[in-house]
Amino acid sequence: MKIIKLDAINSTNSFLKELCRDYALENFTIAVTNEQTNGRGQQSNTWESEPFKNLTASIFITELHLDIINIKYLSFTASLAVYDLLSDYNIPNISIKWPNDIMSANKKLCGILVDNRIKNQEINSCIVGFGLNVNQEKFPEYLDNATSLTNLTNLNYNLDDLLTALVSKMENRIQQLTLKDFIKLEEDYLDVLYRIETPSLFKDKNGVLFMGIIKGISDFGNLLVELEGEIIAEFGIKEISFV
């Protein structure tokens, strides 16, 4: 494990992507920064973070040899690693909101971005970026669903200790992935999936509201929702959101 500490960077994921173009990075090379100026989220979203307050880091992982058809298990792996970490710290009401946001009750604690390197229908390496709200107490008004570990527990946390613990949890879950223990990964993921088997109000990409019940994840990583008449519909990222 090699840790690269940066004072400020636009994005730790982007930094590692550029670095691995020029160098053969060792497995579990980590980039961590005090300030991320242009953090990236899913589907070109941005991730905002107060400097020196939160854990903003990315991990380069190689030698995966994961068939592209099993890509959803990599997302499960990353989100479960954070779930495992927060469970050890006794953070309350933790769940995973599909595909890989980490929630406490209805508030977002952590965003995860996975960048894959695919060759010959196989994922050999990836970069997993984590933006975990830790000691930040106030958030912009438009982030009204955000919270932090400090807000939840009234404690302050050492960011280096959290990173070390997170890497350990990620190593454990990656071992499951490389051993192709897909059944256990999916069981663990569904056990803590946000609002699974709970009637919920959704909005589709056209703004239409509808009721549904999350039933699971498809083979392609899409969300399976039971609609009226016991019809199971499949939704991709940005095709559905909670209301």
Side-chain angles (χ1 to χ4, degrees), residues 61-96:
I61 302 166
T62 190
E63 301 175 10
L64 289 172
H65 305 296
L66 182 69
D67 290 338
I68 189 67
I69 59 172
N70 295 318
I71 192 172
K72 71 175 183 178
Y73 299 106
L74 184 53
S75 178
F76 293 173
T77 296
S79 51
L80 284 168
V82 180
Y83 180 89
D84 296 341
L85 168 73
L86 299 180
S87 296
D88 280 359
Y89 278 81
N90 297 313
I91 306 302
N93 303 314
I94 299 299
S95 63
I96 300 171

PDB file of all heavy atoms in Angstrom, residues 61-96:
ATOM      1  N   ILE A  61      -6.972  -0.114  -7.572  1.00  0.00           N
ATOM      2  CA  ILE A  61      -7.007  -1.553  -7.308  1.00  0.00           C
ATOM      3  C   ILE A  61      -6.801  -2.283  -8.627  1.00  0.00           C
ATOM      4  O   ILE A  61      -7.473  -1.990  -9.621  1.00  0.00           O
ATOM      5  CB  ILE A  61      -8.350  -1.970  -6.682  1.00  0.00           C
ATOM      6  CG1 ILE A  61      -8.591  -1.194  -5.386  1.00  0.00           C
ATOM      7  CG2 ILE A  61      -8.384  -3.474  -6.415  1.00  0.00           C
ATOM      8  CD1 ILE A  61     -10.007  -1.284  -4.874  1.00  0.00           C
ATOM      9  N   THR A  62      -5.895  -3.228  -8.630  1.00  0.00           N
ATOM     10  CA  THR A  62      -5.592  -3.952  -9.857  1.00  0.00           C
ATOM     11  C   THR A  62      -5.665  -5.463  -9.620  1.00  0.00           C
ATOM     12  O   THR A  62      -5.994  -5.912  -8.521  1.00  0.00           O
ATOM     13  CB  THR A  62      -4.200  -3.552 -10.391  1.00  0.00           C
ATOM     14  OG1 THR A  62      -4.041  -4.091 -11.706  1.00  0.00           O
ATOM     15  CG2 THR A  62      -3.087  -4.019  -9.485  1.00  0.00           C
ATOM     16  N   GLU A  63      -5.394  -6.217 -10.688  1.00  0.00           N
ATOM     17  CA  GLU A  63      -5.430  -7.681 -10.645  1.00  0.00           C
ATOM     18  C   GLU A  63      -6.808  -8.202 -10.243  1.00  0.00           C
ATOM     19  O   GLU A  63      -6.941  -9.190  -9.522  1.00  0.00           O
ATOM     20  CB  GLU A  63      -4.353  -8.220  -9.691  1.00  0.00           C
ATOM     21  CG  GLU A  63      -2.946  -7.806 -10.098  1.00  0.00           C
ATOM     22  CD  GLU A  63      -1.892  -8.240  -9.095  1.00  0.00           C
ATOM     23  OE1 GLU A  63      -2.240  -9.017  -8.190  1.00  0.00           O
ATOM     24  OE2 GLU A  63      -0.742  -7.792  -9.219  1.00  0.00           O
ATOM     25  N   LEU A  64      -7.845  -7.545 -10.745  1.00  0.00           N
ATOM     26  CA  LEU A  64      -9.212  -7.960 -10.424  1.00  0.00           C
ATOM     27  C   LEU A  64      -9.674  -9.131 -11.283  1.00  0.00           C
ATOM     28  O   LEU A  64     -10.329 -10.054 -10.803  1.00  0.00           O
ATOM     29  CB  LEU A  64     -10.177  -6.781 -10.614  1.00  0.00           C
ATOM     30  CG  LEU A  64     -10.080  -5.655  -9.585  1.00  0.00           C
ATOM     31  CD1 LEU A  64     -10.948  -4.482 -10.013  1.00  0.00           C
ATOM     32  CD2 LEU A  64     -10.503  -6.156  -8.207  1.00  0.00           C
ATOM     33  N   HIS A  65      -9.399  -9.058 -12.593  1.00  0.00           N
ATOM     34  CA  HIS A  65      -9.814 -10.098 -13.543  1.00  0.00           C
ATOM     35  C   HIS A  65     -11.313 -10.398 -13.390  1.00  0.00           C
ATOM     36  O   HIS A  65     -11.731 -11.551 -13.261  1.00  0.00           O
ATOM     37  CB  HIS A  65      -8.987 -11.374 -13.353  1.00  0.00           C
ATOM     38  CG  HIS A  65      -7.511 -11.146 -13.432  1.00  0.00           C
ATOM     39  ND1 HIS A  65      -6.888 -10.701 -14.586  1.00  0.00           N
ATOM     40  CD2 HIS A  65      -6.536 -11.271 -12.488  1.00  0.00           C
ATOM     41  CE1 HIS A  65      -5.593 -10.589 -14.359  1.00  0.00           C
ATOM     42  NE2 HIS A  65      -5.359 -10.908 -13.105  1.00  0.00           N
ATOM     43  N   LEU A  66     -12.090  -9.331 -13.393  1.00  0.00           N
ATOM     44  CA  LEU A  66     -13.538  -9.439 -13.196  1.00  0.00           C
ATOM     45  C   LEU A  66     -14.240  -9.320 -14.547  1.00  0.00           C
ATOM     46  O   LEU A  66     -14.078  -8.315 -15.243  1.00  0.00           O
ATOM     47  CB  LEU A  66     -14.011  -8.335 -12.251  1.00  0.00           C
ATOM     48  CG  LEU A  66     -15.492  -8.316 -11.890  1.00  0.00           C
ATOM     49  CD1 LEU A  66     -15.840  -9.517 -11.010  1.00  0.00           C
ATOM     50  CD2 LEU A  66     -15.844  -7.009 -11.174  1.00  0.00           C
ATOM     51  N   ASP A  67     -15.002 -10.326 -14.917  1.00  0.00           N
ATOM     52  CA  ASP A  67     -15.758 -10.263 -16.169  1.00  0.00           C
ATOM     53  C   ASP A  67     -16.712  -9.072 -16.141  1.00  0.00           C
ATOM     54  O   ASP A  67     -17.344  -8.798 -15.108  1.00  0.00           O
ATOM     55  CB  ASP A  67     -16.556 -11.547 -16.385  1.00  0.00           C
ATOM     56  CG  ASP A  67     -15.659 -12.744 -16.700  1.00  0.00           C
ATOM     57  OD1 ASP A  67     -14.516 -12.527 -17.145  1.00  0.00           O
ATOM     58  OD2 ASP A  67     -16.111 -13.890 -16.477  1.00  0.00           O
ATOM     59  N   ILE A  68     -16.841  -8.402 -17.274  1.00  0.00           N
ATOM     60  CA  ILE A  68     -17.661  -7.200 -17.341  1.00  0.00           C
ATOM     61  C   ILE A  68     -19.115  -7.479 -16.950  1.00  0.00           C
ATOM     62  O   ILE A  68     -19.801  -6.614 -16.410  1.00  0.00           O
ATOM     63  CB  ILE A  68     -17.581  -6.568 -18.752  1.00  0.00           C
ATOM     64  CG1 ILE A  68     -18.259  -5.185 -18.783  1.00  0.00           C
ATOM     65  CG2 ILE A  68     -18.169  -7.485 -19.795  1.00  0.00           C
ATOM     66  CD1 ILE A  68     -17.579  -4.144 -17.980  1.00  0.00           C
ATOM     67  N   ILE A  69     -19.582  -8.696 -17.160  1.00  0.00           N
ATOM     68  CA  ILE A  69     -20.964  -9.029 -16.807  1.00  0.00           C
ATOM     69  C   ILE A  69     -21.164  -9.026 -15.289  1.00  0.00           C
ATOM     70  O   ILE A  69     -22.304  -8.968 -14.817  1.00  0.00           O
ATOM     71  CB  ILE A  69     -21.381 -10.398 -17.376  1.00  0.00           C
ATOM     72  CG1 ILE A  69     -20.473 -11.517 -16.847  1.00  0.00           C
ATOM     73  CG2 ILE A  69     -21.400 -10.381 -18.885  1.00  0.00           C
ATOM     74  CD1 ILE A  69     -20.945 -12.911 -17.219  1.00  0.00           C
ATOM     75  N   ASN A  70     -20.080  -9.042 -14.533  1.00  0.00           N
ATOM     76  CA  ASN A  70     -20.175  -9.033 -13.065  1.00  0.00           C
ATOM     77  C   ASN A  70     -19.835  -7.669 -12.468  1.00  0.00           C
ATOM     78  O   ASN A  70     -19.494  -7.573 -11.280  1.00  0.00           O
ATOM     79  CB  ASN A  70     -19.246 -10.099 -12.480  1.00  0.00           C
ATOM     80  CG  ASN A  70     -19.665 -11.505 -12.855  1.00  0.00           C
ATOM     81  OD1 ASN A  70     -20.857 -11.821 -12.827  1.00  0.00           O
ATOM     82  ND2 ASN A  70     -18.705 -12.351 -13.194  1.00  0.00           N
ATOM     83  N   ILE A  71     -19.963  -6.627 -13.258  1.00  0.00           N
ATOM     84  CA  ILE A  71     -19.532  -5.299 -12.829  1.00  0.00           C
ATOM     85  C   ILE A  71     -20.289  -4.801 -11.603  1.00  0.00           C
ATOM     86  O   ILE A  71     -19.747  -4.052 -10.789  1.00  0.00           O
ATOM     87  CB  ILE A  71     -19.663  -4.298 -13.999  1.00  0.00           C
ATOM     88  CG1 ILE A  71     -18.955  -2.979 -13.664  1.00  0.00           C
ATOM     89  CG2 ILE A  71     -21.120  -4.075 -14.375  1.00  0.00           C
ATOM     90  CD1 ILE A  71     -18.876  -2.032 -14.840  1.00  0.00           C
ATOM     91  N   LYS A  72     -21.532  -5.217 -11.439  1.00  0.00           N
ATOM     92  CA  LYS A  72     -22.312  -4.713 -10.305  1.00  0.00           C
ATOM     93  C   LYS A  72     -21.681  -5.103  -8.971  1.00  0.00           C
ATOM     94  O   LYS A  72     -21.837  -4.387  -7.969  1.00  0.00           O
ATOM     95  CB  LYS A  72     -23.747  -5.215 -10.365  1.00  0.00           C
ATOM     96  CG  LYS A  72     -23.948  -6.684 -10.081  1.00  0.00           C
ATOM     97  CD  LYS A  72     -25.435  -7.043 -10.039  1.00  0.00           C
ATOM     98  CE  LYS A  72     -25.669  -8.501  -9.675  1.00  0.00           C
ATOM     99  NZ  LYS A  72     -27.109  -8.843  -9.592  1.00  0.00           N
ATOM    100  N   TYR A  73     -20.948  -6.223  -8.946  1.00  0.00           N
ATOM    101  CA  TYR A  73     -20.368  -6.675  -7.687  1.00  0.00           C
ATOM    102  C   TYR A  73     -19.217  -5.784  -7.224  1.00  0.00           C
ATOM    103  O   TYR A  73     -18.910  -5.741  -6.029  1.00  0.00           O
ATOM    104  CB  TYR A  73     -19.905  -8.125  -7.807  1.00  0.00           C
ATOM    105  CG  TYR A  73     -21.040  -9.060  -8.115  1.00  0.00           C
ATOM    106  CD1 TYR A  73     -21.193  -9.622  -9.389  1.00  0.00           C
ATOM    107  CD2 TYR A  73     -22.001  -9.360  -7.152  1.00  0.00           C
ATOM    108  CE1 TYR A  73     -22.254 -10.470  -9.677  1.00  0.00           C
ATOM    109  CE2 TYR A  73     -23.064 -10.203  -7.441  1.00  0.00           C
ATOM    110  CZ  TYR A  73     -23.185 -10.759  -8.704  1.00  0.00           C
ATOM    111  OH  TYR A  73     -24.241 -11.579  -8.992  1.00  0.00           O
ATOM    112  N   LEU A  74     -18.613  -5.072  -8.148  1.00  0.00           N
ATOM    113  CA  LEU A  74     -17.585  -4.111  -7.771  1.00  0.00           C
ATOM    114  C   LEU A  74     -18.214  -2.931  -7.038  1.00  0.00           C
ATOM    115  O   LEU A  74     -17.682  -2.434  -6.042  1.00  0.00           O
ATOM    116  CB  LEU A  74     -16.825  -3.640  -9.009  1.00  0.00           C
ATOM    117  CG  LEU A  74     -15.643  -2.693  -8.775  1.00  0.00           C
ATOM    118  CD1 LEU A  74     -14.667  -3.263  -7.759  1.00  0.00           C
ATOM    119  CD2 LEU A  74     -14.929  -2.417 -10.096  1.00  0.00           C
ATOM    120  N   SER A  75     -19.372  -2.495  -7.510  1.00  0.00           N
ATOM    121  CA  SER A  75     -20.117  -1.436  -6.811  1.00  0.00           C
ATOM    122  C   SER A  75     -20.544  -1.910  -5.429  1.00  0.00           C
ATOM    123  O   SER A  75     -20.441  -1.169  -4.444  1.00  0.00           O
ATOM    124  CB  SER A  75     -21.343  -1.031  -7.634  1.00  0.00           C
ATOM    125  OG  SER A  75     -22.101  -0.050  -6.963  1.00  0.00           O
ATOM    126  N   PHE A  76     -21.014  -3.158  -5.342  1.00  0.00           N
ATOM    127  CA  PHE A  76     -21.385  -3.713  -4.039  1.00  0.00           C
ATOM    128  C   PHE A  76     -20.185  -3.696  -3.097  1.00  0.00           C
ATOM    129  O   PHE A  76     -20.295  -3.343  -1.915  1.00  0.00           O
ATOM    130  CB  PHE A  76     -21.869  -5.163  -4.187  1.00  0.00           C
ATOM    131  CG  PHE A  76     -23.163  -5.349  -4.933  1.00  0.00           C
ATOM    132  CD1 PHE A  76     -23.610  -6.622  -5.249  1.00  0.00           C
ATOM    133  CD2 PHE A  76     -23.926  -4.271  -5.337  1.00  0.00           C
ATOM    134  CE1 PHE A  76     -24.803  -6.819  -5.925  1.00  0.00           C
ATOM    135  CE2 PHE A  76     -25.122  -4.453  -6.028  1.00  0.00           C
ATOM    136  CZ  PHE A  76     -25.562  -5.736  -6.321  1.00  0.00           C
ATOM    137  N   THR A  77     -19.028  -4.101  -3.623  1.00  0.00           N
ATOM    138  CA  THR A  77     -17.810  -4.194  -2.822  1.00  0.00           C
ATOM    139  C   THR A  77     -17.437  -2.857  -2.206  1.00  0.00           C
ATOM    140  O   THR A  77     -17.149  -2.758  -1.002  1.00  0.00           O
ATOM    141  CB  THR A  77     -16.653  -4.710  -3.702  1.00  0.00           C
ATOM    142  OG1 THR A  77     -16.953  -6.032  -4.139  1.00  0.00           O
ATOM    143  CG2 THR A  77     -15.339  -4.708  -2.949  1.00  0.00           C
ATOM    144  N   ALA A  78     -17.438  -1.804  -3.025  1.00  0.00           N
ATOM    145  CA  ALA A  78     -17.032  -0.482  -2.542  1.00  0.00           C
ATOM    146  C   ALA A  78     -17.992   0.050  -1.485  1.00  0.00           C
ATOM    147  O   ALA A  78     -17.568   0.570  -0.440  1.00  0.00           O
ATOM    148  CB  ALA A  78     -16.943   0.485  -3.718  1.00  0.00           C
ATOM    149  N   SER A  79     -19.286  -0.062  -1.748  1.00  0.00           N
ATOM    150  CA  SER A  79     -20.255   0.488  -0.807  1.00  0.00           C
ATOM    151  C   SER A  79     -20.300  -0.313   0.490  1.00  0.00           C
ATOM    152  O   SER A  79     -20.442   0.252   1.582  1.00  0.00           O
ATOM    153  CB  SER A  79     -21.641   0.563  -1.445  1.00  0.00           C
ATOM    154  OG  SER A  79     -22.021  -0.660  -2.016  1.00  0.00           O
ATOM    155  N   LEU A  80     -20.132  -1.631   0.400  1.00  0.00           N
ATOM    156  CA  LEU A  80     -20.115  -2.450   1.615  1.00  0.00           C
ATOM    157  C   LEU A  80     -18.887  -2.170   2.473  1.00  0.00           C
ATOM    158  O   LEU A  80     -18.950  -2.265   3.706  1.00  0.00           O
ATOM    159  CB  LEU A  80     -20.175  -3.932   1.248  1.00  0.00           C
ATOM    160  CG  LEU A  80     -21.552  -4.445   0.821  1.00  0.00           C
ATOM    161  CD1 LEU A  80     -21.437  -5.836   0.201  1.00  0.00           C
ATOM    162  CD2 LEU A  80     -22.530  -4.457   1.989  1.00  0.00           C
ATOM    163  N   ALA A  81     -17.766  -1.823   1.844  1.00  0.00           N
ATOM    164  CA  ALA A  81     -16.575  -1.478   2.628  1.00  0.00           C
ATOM    165  C   ALA A  81     -16.845  -0.267   3.513  1.00  0.00           C
ATOM    166  O   ALA A  81     -16.458  -0.235   4.687  1.00  0.00           O
ATOM    167  CB  ALA A  81     -15.392  -1.207   1.698  1.00  0.00           C
ATOM    168  N   VAL A  82     -17.508   0.738   2.959  1.00  0.00           N
ATOM    169  CA  VAL A  82     -17.847   1.926   3.761  1.00  0.00           C
ATOM    170  C   VAL A  82     -18.881   1.566   4.827  1.00  0.00           C
ATOM    171  O   VAL A  82     -18.790   2.016   5.978  1.00  0.00           O
ATOM    172  CB  VAL A  82     -18.374   3.063   2.870  1.00  0.00           C
ATOM    173  CG1 VAL A  82     -18.731   4.284   3.717  1.00  0.00           C
ATOM    174  CG2 VAL A  82     -17.334   3.445   1.821  1.00  0.00           C
ATOM    175  N   TYR A  83     -19.859   0.757   4.446  1.00  0.00           N
ATOM    176  CA  TYR A  83     -20.853   0.318   5.427  1.00  0.00           C
ATOM    177  C   TYR A  83     -20.178  -0.397   6.594  1.00  0.00           C
ATOM    178  O   TYR A  83     -20.494  -0.153   7.762  1.00  0.00           O
ATOM    179  CB  TYR A  83     -21.877  -0.602   4.762  1.00  0.00           C
ATOM    180  CG  TYR A  83     -22.941  -1.101   5.720  1.00  0.00           C
ATOM    181  CD1 TYR A  83     -24.114  -0.380   5.913  1.00  0.00           C
ATOM    182  CD2 TYR A  83     -22.747  -2.268   6.450  1.00  0.00           C
ATOM    183  CE1 TYR A  83     -25.070  -0.818   6.820  1.00  0.00           C
ATOM    184  CE2 TYR A  83     -23.694  -2.709   7.356  1.00  0.00           C
ATOM    185  CZ  TYR A  83     -24.859  -1.984   7.538  1.00  0.00           C
ATOM    186  OH  TYR A  83     -25.799  -2.411   8.433  1.00  0.00           O
ATOM    187  N   ASP A  84     -19.242  -1.300   6.290  1.00  0.00           N
ATOM    188  CA  ASP A  84     -18.521  -2.021   7.331  1.00  0.00           C
ATOM    189  C   ASP A  84     -17.767  -1.061   8.256  1.00  0.00           C
ATOM    190  O   ASP A  84     -17.756  -1.223   9.482  1.00  0.00           O
ATOM    191  CB  ASP A  84     -17.529  -3.006   6.710  1.00  0.00           C
ATOM    192  CG  ASP A  84     -18.200  -4.104   5.912  1.00  0.00           C
ATOM    193  OD1 ASP A  84     -19.409  -4.346   6.112  1.00  0.00           O
ATOM    194  OD2 ASP A  84     -17.510  -4.716   5.069  1.00  0.00           O
ATOM    195  N   LEU A  85     -17.122  -0.070   7.644  1.00  0.00           N
ATOM    196  CA  LEU A  85     -16.367   0.922   8.415  1.00  0.00           C
ATOM    197  C   LEU A  85     -17.279   1.654   9.399  1.00  0.00           C
ATOM    198  O   LEU A  85     -16.975   1.767  10.587  1.00  0.00           O
ATOM    199  CB  LEU A  85     -15.711   1.918   7.458  1.00  0.00           C
ATOM    200  CG  LEU A  85     -15.111   3.178   8.091  1.00  0.00           C
ATOM    201  CD1 LEU A  85     -13.834   2.836   8.841  1.00  0.00           C
ATOM    202  CD2 LEU A  85     -14.851   4.246   7.038  1.00  0.00           C
ATOM    203  N   LEU A  86     -18.387   2.174   8.897  1.00  0.00           N
ATOM    204  CA  LEU A  86     -19.274   2.977   9.735  1.00  0.00           C
ATOM    205  C   LEU A  86     -19.975   2.135  10.793  1.00  0.00           C
ATOM    206  O   LEU A  86     -20.285   2.624  11.882  1.00  0.00           O
ATOM    207  CB  LEU A  86     -20.296   3.705   8.861  1.00  0.00           C
ATOM    208  CG  LEU A  86     -19.686   4.677   7.842  1.00  0.00           C
ATOM    209  CD1 LEU A  86     -20.780   5.356   7.028  1.00  0.00           C
ATOM    210  CD2 LEU A  86     -18.809   5.716   8.523  1.00  0.00           C
ATOM    211  N   SER A  87     -20.188   0.879  10.483  1.00  0.00           N
ATOM    212  CA  SER A  87     -20.758  -0.022  11.488  1.00  0.00           C
ATOM    213  C   SER A  87     -19.811  -0.191  12.663  1.00  0.00           C
ATOM    214  O   SER A  87     -20.238  -0.221  13.827  1.00  0.00           O
ATOM    215  CB  SER A  87     -21.074  -1.382  10.862  1.00  0.00           C
ATOM    216  OG  SER A  87     -22.070  -1.268   9.866  1.00  0.00           O
ATOM    217  N   ASP A  88     -18.505  -0.295  12.382  1.00  0.00           N
ATOM    218  CA  ASP A  88     -17.512  -0.415  13.447  1.00  0.00           C
ATOM    219  C   ASP A  88     -17.476   0.823  14.331  1.00  0.00           C
ATOM    220  O   ASP A  88     -17.138   0.742  15.521  1.00  0.00           O
ATOM    221  CB  ASP A  88     -16.120  -0.656  12.857  1.00  0.00           C
ATOM    222  CG  ASP A  88     -15.900  -2.108  12.457  1.00  0.00           C
ATOM    223  OD1 ASP A  88     -16.823  -2.931  12.653  1.00  0.00           O
ATOM    224  OD2 ASP A  88     -14.820  -2.417  11.922  1.00  0.00           O
ATOM    225  N   TYR A  89     -17.801   1.973  13.743  1.00  0.00           N
ATOM    226  CA  TYR A  89     -17.817   3.229  14.497  1.00  0.00           C
ATOM    227  C   TYR A  89     -19.193   3.508  15.116  1.00  0.00           C
ATOM    228  O   TYR A  89     -19.415   4.590  15.671  1.00  0.00           O
ATOM    229  CB  TYR A  89     -17.414   4.391  13.589  1.00  0.00           C
ATOM    230  CG  TYR A  89     -15.914   4.539  13.425  1.00  0.00           C
ATOM    231  CD1 TYR A  89     -15.210   3.748  12.526  1.00  0.00           C
ATOM    232  CD2 TYR A  89     -15.197   5.473  14.174  1.00  0.00           C
ATOM    233  CE1 TYR A  89     -13.837   3.881  12.370  1.00  0.00           C
ATOM    234  CE2 TYR A  89     -13.831   5.616  14.027  1.00  0.00           C
ATOM    235  CZ  TYR A  89     -13.151   4.815  13.122  1.00  0.00           C
ATOM    236  OH  TYR A  89     -11.784   4.948  12.975  1.00  0.00           O
ATOM    237  N   ASN A  90     -20.095   2.545  15.009  1.00  0.00           N
ATOM    238  CA  ASN A  90     -21.438   2.660  15.605  1.00  0.00           C
ATOM    239  C   ASN A  90     -22.204   3.890  15.131  1.00  0.00           C
ATOM    240  O   ASN A  90     -22.925   4.536  15.893  1.00  0.00           O
ATOM    241  CB  ASN A  90     -21.330   2.677  17.140  1.00  0.00           C
ATOM    242  CG  ASN A  90     -20.755   1.392  17.691  1.00  0.00           C
ATOM    243  OD1 ASN A  90     -21.156   0.294  17.309  1.00  0.00           O
ATOM    244  ND2 ASN A  90     -19.781   1.517  18.594  1.00  0.00           N
ATOM    245  N   ILE A  91     -22.058   4.199  13.847  1.00  0.00           N
ATOM    246  CA  ILE A  91     -22.838   5.291  13.260  1.00  0.00           C
ATOM    247  C   ILE A  91     -24.272   4.785  13.064  1.00  0.00           C
ATOM    248  O   ILE A  91     -24.486   3.706  12.527  1.00  0.00           O
ATOM    249  CB  ILE A  91     -22.224   5.742  11.922  1.00  0.00           C
ATOM    250  CG1 ILE A  91     -20.740   6.086  12.128  1.00  0.00           C
ATOM    251  CG2 ILE A  91     -22.989   6.924  11.353  1.00  0.00           C
ATOM    252  CD1 ILE A  91     -20.471   7.157  13.156  1.00  0.00           C
ATOM    253  N   PRO A  92     -25.271   5.552  13.484  1.00  0.00           N
ATOM    254  CA  PRO A  92     -26.645   5.034  13.500  1.00  0.00           C
ATOM    255  C   PRO A  92     -27.313   5.012  12.130  1.00  0.00           C
ATOM    256  O   PRO A  92     -27.007   5.821  11.256  1.00  0.00           O
ATOM    257  CB  PRO A  92     -27.373   6.018  14.429  1.00  0.00           C
ATOM    258  CG  PRO A  92     -26.610   7.305  14.273  1.00  0.00           C
ATOM    259  CD  PRO A  92     -25.174   6.896  14.089  1.00  0.00           C
ATOM    260  N   ASN A  93     -28.236   4.062  11.977  1.00  0.00           N
ATOM    261  CA  ASN A  93     -29.170   4.010  10.842  1.00  0.00           C
ATOM    262  C   ASN A  93     -28.481   4.016   9.486  1.00  0.00           C
ATOM    263  O   ASN A  93     -28.896   4.725   8.565  1.00  0.00           O
ATOM    264  CB  ASN A  93     -30.153   5.185  10.919  1.00  0.00           C
ATOM    265  CG  ASN A  93     -30.922   5.208  12.223  1.00  0.00           C
ATOM    266  OD1 ASN A  93     -31.435   4.189  12.675  1.00  0.00           O
ATOM    267  ND2 ASN A  93     -30.984   6.372  12.860  1.00  0.00           N
ATOM    268  N   ILE A  94     -27.417   3.221   9.332  1.00  0.00           N
ATOM    269  CA  ILE A  94     -26.660   3.204   8.090  1.00  0.00           C
ATOM    270  C   ILE A  94     -27.333   2.292   7.072  1.00  0.00           C
ATOM    271  O   ILE A  94     -27.783   1.198   7.387  1.00  0.00           O
ATOM    272  CB  ILE A  94     -25.218   2.724   8.334  1.00  0.00           C
ATOM    273  CG1 ILE A  94     -24.507   3.682   9.290  1.00  0.00           C
ATOM    274  CG2 ILE A  94     -24.431   2.645   7.022  1.00  0.00           C
ATOM    275  CD1 ILE A  94     -24.403   5.089   8.788  1.00  0.00           C
ATOM    276  N   SER A  95     -27.389   2.758   5.835  1.00  0.00           N
ATOM    277  CA  SER A  95     -27.869   1.937   4.727  1.00  0.00           C
ATOM    278  C   SER A  95     -27.154   2.363   3.458  1.00  0.00           C
ATOM    279  O   SER A  95     -26.459   3.386   3.428  1.00  0.00           O
ATOM    280  CB  SER A  95     -29.391   2.060   4.555  1.00  0.00           C
ATOM    281  OG  SER A  95     -29.743   3.390   4.214  1.00  0.00           O
ATOM    282  N   ILE A  96     -27.324   1.563   2.403  1.00  0.00           N
ATOM    283  CA  ILE A  96     -26.743   1.881   1.087  1.00  0.00           C
ATOM    284  C   ILE A  96     -27.878   2.242   0.146  1.00  0.00           C
ATOM    285  O   ILE A  96     -28.784   1.438  -0.083  1.00  0.00           O
ATOM    286  CB  ILE A  96     -25.952   0.688   0.526  1.00  0.00           C
ATOM    287  CG1 ILE A  96     -24.804   0.315   1.464  1.00  0.00           C
ATOM    288  CG2 ILE A  96     -25.414   1.018  -0.877  1.00  0.00           C
ATOM    289  CD1 ILE A  96     -24.112  -0.992   1.099  1.00  0.00           C
TER     290      ILE A  96
END
